[in-house]
Amino acid sequence: MPSLFGIAWKNLRRKRLRSLLTIVGIALSTWVLVSLLGFNQGYENSLNKDIDNLGFQVLLTAKGCPYEAATLMLKGGTGLKYMSESIIDSVIANPQVEKVTPMLMHAVFDPNKGESGGITAFLGIDPTTYPAMKSYLVFQQGQWFDQPEALEAVFGYEAAELEQREVGDLYLLPEAEVEIKVVGVLKRSGTQDDGTIFLPIKTLQKVYDVEGKITSVGIKVQKETDLTAYEDELYKMQDVQVVSMAQVKQTISNLVATARVMVMSIALIAILIAMVGVMNTVLMSVLERWQEIGIMKSMGAMTSHIFKLIWFETILLTFVGGVIGSIMSWILASVTDTLIRSVLPYSPTSSLVQIDILLALKAIGIIMGIGIISGIYPAFKAAKIRPIEAIRSTDGEI
Amino acid sequence: MTKSTNPLISVADLKKIYVRGSEHIHAVYGISLDISKGDYIAFVGPSGSGKTTLLHLLGCLDNPTEGSLTVNGQNVFSNDRSMNERELTKLRRELFGYVFQKFYLIPTLTVRENITLPFAFYQKNEAEQTADRLADLLGISHRLDHLPKELSGGEMQRVAIARALINKPQILLADEPTGNLDSKRSAEIAEIFHKLNQDEGLTIILVTHNHALAESAGKMVELRDGRLV
């Protein structure tokens, strides 16, 4: 004895190519939808991870452009203003502060870089405080510097690859013409540190004649500290700028907002196309079966039975398409990641598109909801067929 | 036509008028007749005489324009009141079985599924047993797991008859049931109808151009220009 669901399933198999093409359309829409939702949640998580990996919650810099400061936090920057080293004493004096680490970013023109030269940036760090804050940095070779003024350097993974340096090699500091020894190469961390060349801060100050100057101070506060209140206190200091984690996130979020709107619009268009596709497929199927449906009604099928029958077909199409699309989005997550990364002004280092089972179920739910709405008109049309009209006609009319 | 005291179907001054622009076409014009339980009636007549329209009216598939129609004591249509679609569906399900010239089998369902299709809409006990009994009666037991495209025309019509009988109707309506069959298959269908009427006491009303089939019916009624002759 056939069930309504069974009849619906078998009917979709009647015009296999048409059903298949509709399912492909739905699957593509689901792919876009899941990827977009995955991007929304992945971007946020990835950005948080990047900021957590900074090792400090607040960055103090000399007064200047906030975007430059944000860039400094995440990618490094050039042409920055300097602060006096003495500022560290006033920062550490606050009992809410757990750790501080001074940093000196210095960029120079290296005529040997590339074909026509380029900018090389060095980060001067305090070997007694910086490694403790960046505990996630692991060495591939070697270790941190021995002495605060040692003529030594540690290369990030990508910097070492670019400069083709190993532990024990010498490196000539551009402009200063001073040779330093590579004492360590870091493993890939997936952060901005991969492209950094680290030197002891005292060495960098001395070599480039910026003694007593720093460009930023990384501050890690005590766990129970009210970050907003603490930032307000920092703002009272003269000629400094406070860059908090929240500010950085906000700044970057503003930068990517346009890209997000664009991706959202594409998803919306894809969903609308799928909706029209589903409606077209089911409506065609109803019109082709005009007489069959009329005969069913002459056998005692109520309006509600026919409505359900057609609705089942829509639900089946959207469910199968939704599942395939979700699987596709999971398999192709890295491709989507690359595509999205290419249109964003700033991308965090870890995965941008994060897809989990809950997200896939949510997307399938949305797609099925859309399918159910798309199926209303064809189902209504079918349910309203009168047996006599169907028997007399050869085909249905829209 | 016969007037019985307790007819299964009773029509009085039944009219069906189609309006095409300014033209009024009287497909059925002022027909009155009673059909009793166990009757086997064949409507004959030239094309356009209104026999199929009359069959649709008697089978509650179409609404008359005027007149009255009573089926099994229930007022289906009169000048005062007519049944709504829900009531008509219930009446069709409980009283009628329909057979059409073009069979109208669902191509994706097997013979068994086609026969039991009405039960997809309302549950009935012993559906499978009834299907087996009918398949046996109509000689299609060996075809139950086949698809319609694997059957001959005669077999397809047998399946359609079995489907029409699955809900144990009181009245079987058939519109040109042999229209798509050769003479041998037509004779087989005529034999089946005769048996159903004689052995099962089924009331059968059919429309046909096939003289042999019409002659096998207990009563032959001729229509011309929408009127009984």
Side-chain angles (χ1 to χ4, degrees):
Chain A
M1 199 162 65
S3 64
L4 284 181
F5 195 79
I7 297 170
W9 173 248
K10 285 189 173 182
N11 185 60
L12 289 177
R13 293 174 61 194
R14 190 189 299 195
K15 301 273 181 183
R16 287 178 193 210
L17 184 62
R18 186 169 65 194
S19 297
L20 189 72
L21 288 174
T22 310
I23 287 170
V24 168
I26 297 164
L28 288 174
S29 300
T30 312
W31 175 37
V32 174
L33 186 65
V34 174
S35 300
L36 174 72
L37 295 175
F39 166 66
N40 271 343
Q41 103 179 2
Y43 191 88
E44 197 77 27
N45 292 344
S46 186
L47 192 57
N48 285 340
K49 196 177 159 195
D50 267 18
I51 289 168
D52 289 346
N53 281 347
L54 288 170
F56 37 79
Q57 296 109 322
V58 182
L59 185 77
L60 207 61
T61 66
K63 220 159 207 167
C65 170
Y67 287 99
E68 193 176 48
T71 312
L72 171 70
M73 282 187 85
L74 293 156
K75 290 229 162 186
T78 58
L80 292 166
K81 292 181 179 177
Y82 296 110
M83 297 184 291
S84 167
E85 238 175 356
S86 61
I87 200 164
I88 297 167
D89 298 332
S90 52
V91 172
I92 201 82
N94 191 321
Q96 295 176 99
V97 175
E98 187 188 328
K99 290 176 188 171
V100 294
T101 188
M103 286 172 279
L104 172 65
M105 175 67 73
H106 194 82
V108 291
F109 181 76
D110 182 357
N112 299 321
K113 197 170 186 178
E115 286 181 6
S116 54
I119 298 289
T120 299
F122 301 98
L123 184 65
I125 58 158
D126 176 4
T128 58
T129 55
Y130 189 86
M133 277 199 184
K134 299 266 189 173
S135 54
Y136 63 89
L137 293 177
V138 181
F139 278 88
Q140 185 173 282
Q141 289 179 298
Q143 57 189 14
W144 289 107
F145 339 101
D146 285 341
Q147 302 298 320
E149 293 188 37
L151 286 173
E152 292 172 345
V154 168
F155 278 59
Y157 182 85
E158 284 169 13
E161 288 226 316
L162 190 71
E163 298 289 347
Q164 297 188 326
R165 291 293 193 281
E166 289 183 352
V167 169
D169 290 350
L170 293 175
Y171 179 81
L172 186 68
L173 289 173
E175 291 183 3
E177 302 304 322
V178 172
E179 265 193 337
I180 54 170
K181 188 180 174 189
V182 179
V183 294
V185 174
L186 295 168
K187 278 188 178 173
R188 190 188 288 278
S189 64
T191 68
Q192 73 279 7
D193 295 318
D194 287 347
T196 306
I197 300 173
F198 301 91
L199 269 75
I201 191 165
K202 294 284 180 199
T203 306
L204 198 61
Q205 285 170 334
K206 200 172 173 182
V207 168
Y208 288 107
D209 201 19
V210 282
E211 278 166 291
K213 302 280 170 98
I214 55 174
T215 49
S216 57
V217 180
I219 304 167
K220 187 175 183 186
V221 294
Q222 303 284 358
K223 273 184 184 170
E224 63 277 11
T225 303
D226 176 351
L227 208 54
T228 315
Y230 176 65
E231 282 169 16
D232 288 343
E233 279 182 43
L234 286 176
Y235 276 121
K236 290 173 190 159
M237 296 170 82
Q238 293 292 308
D239 297 327
V240 295
Q241 179 168 294
V242 181
V243 182
S244 71
M245 183 174 64
Q247 279 176 324
V248 172
K249 274 165 77 175
Q250 189 59 44
T251 306
I252 295 169
S253 294
N254 289 344
L255 284 170
V256 298
T258 314
R260 275 184 164 180
V261 169
M262 192 182 77
V263 176
M264 200 75 111
S265 311
I266 295 167
L268 192 68
I269 292 166
I271 287 165
L272 286 175
I273 291 170
M275 237 175 123
V276 173
V278 170
M279 196 185 281
N280 180 52
T281 300
V282 180
L283 196 57
M284 281 300 121
S285 168
V286 167
L287 297 180
E288 284 167 4
R289 290 181 296 152
W290 199 257
Q291 290 177 322
E292 263 179 42
I293 293 168
I295 298 301
M296 283 181 192
K297 290 197 89 175
S298 76
M299 287 174 196
M302 294 283 187
T303 303
S304 58
H305 291 128
I306 302 299
F307 196 89
K308 262 193 240 171
L309 176 68
I310 304 302
W311 235 11
F312 280 153
E313 289 181 20
T314 319
I315 290 168
L316 271 167
L317 279 174
T318 47
F319 177 73
V320 175
V323 169
I324 293 172
S326 296
I327 294 170
M328 232 167 89
S329 60
W330 181 69
I331 292 170
L332 298 174
S334 61
V335 176
T336 315
D337 194 289
T338 313
L339 283 174
I340 294 179
R341 217 172 266 280
S342 68
V343 297
L344 288 183
Y346 168 75
S347 304
T349 41
S350 52
S351 175
L352 283 185
V353 182
Q354 290 175 13
I355 296 162
D356 53 40
I357 186 78
L358 209 67
L359 186 74
L361 289 175
K362 198 167 143 188
I364 292 170
I366 292 171
I367 287 289
M368 283 181 72
I370 288 164
I372 285 168
I373 294 168
S374 314
I376 289 177
Y377 177 69
F380 178 77
K381 189 89 187 152
K384 285 289 166 197
I385 294 173
R386 288 181 63 218
I388 188 65
E389 290 166 1
I391 293 161
R392 281 205 201 111
S393 72
T394 48
D395 280 308
E397 290 170 2
I398 296 173
Chain B
M1 208 39 230
T2 54
K3 283 276 176 192
S4 68
T5 50
N6 194 16
L8 193 55
I9 299 176
S10 178
V11 297
D13 200 21
L14 204 65
K15 290 179 185 169
K16 181 70 187 181
I17 303 165
Y18 295 108
V19 180
R20 299 264 189 279
S22 58
E23 193 183 0
H24 286 60
I25 301 157
H26 297 264
V28 169
Y29 199 77
I31 288 180
S32 299
L33 63 86
D34 287 347
I35 297 168
S36 303
K37 190 170 168 46
D39 277 356
Y40 182 6
I41 300 171
F43 289 117
V44 294
S47 296
S49 59
K51 50 190 189 304
T52 294
T53 304
L54 179 61
L55 190 81
H56 291 159
L57 294 173
L58 296 176
C60 305
L61 292 170
D62 200 1
N63 288 330
T65 311
E66 282 178 38
S68 70
L69 168 65
T70 306
V71 177
N72 203 28
Q74 299 177 64
N75 179 13
V76 178
F77 185 88
S78 67
N79 292 332
D80 304 332
R81 183 190 180 274
S82 58
M83 281 187 172
N84 61 32
E85 193 55 41
R86 196 176 182 82
E87 290 169 322
L88 283 171
T89 303
K90 190 166 179 286
L91 190 75
R92 288 195 290 256
R93 173 199 296 175
E94 289 171 356
L95 286 180
F96 293 100
Y98 303 92
V99 178
F100 302 95
Q101 181 179 351
K102 289 198 274 182
F103 323 131
Y104 295 127
L105 301 180
I106 311 286
T108 49
L109 303 182
T110 62
V111 166
R112 181 184 289 281
E113 287 169 332
N114 265 291
I115 293 172
T116 54
L117 182 61
F119 296 140
F121 312 117
Y122 50 94
Q123 298 298 317
K124 256 194 181 178
N125 294 330
E126 299 170 359
E128 297 295 333
Q129 291 92 318
T130 312
D132 287 338
R133 190 181 65 78
L134 285 169
D136 196 37
L137 181 74
L138 295 163
I140 47 173
S141 298
H142 61 297
R143 295 297 217 175
L144 283 172
D145 296 322
H146 288 72
L147 290 170
K149 66 180 179 189
E150 296 161 347
L151 308 181
S152 67
E155 285 173 325
M156 280 198 261
Q157 194 58 294
R158 287 163 193 245
V159 175
I161 294 168
R163 184 181 63 187
L165 298 176
I166 194 79
N167 61 336
K168 297 178 181 163
Q170 291 189 39
I171 307 157
L172 181 71
L173 298 169
D175 186 8
E176 296 283 8
T178 59
N180 278 348
L181 305 178
D182 59 29
S183 54
K184 191 181 169 206
R185 306 290 168 217
S186 297
E188 286 171 6
I189 297 298
E191 177 60 26
I192 288 167
F193 282 169
H194 186 75
K195 259 176 73 177
L196 287 170
N197 177 249
Q198 293 297 310
D199 301 349
E200 314 266 327
L202 189 67
T203 305
I204 300 176
I205 307 167
L206 60 85
V207 163
T208 185
H209 281 107
N210 183 327
H211 277 287
L213 179 62
E215 280 164 11
S216 74
K219 294 166 190 167
M220 189 160 38
V221 178
E222 191 178 350
L223 273 90
R224 198 175 293 270
D225 299 328
R227 291 181 169 88
L228 298 180
V229 177

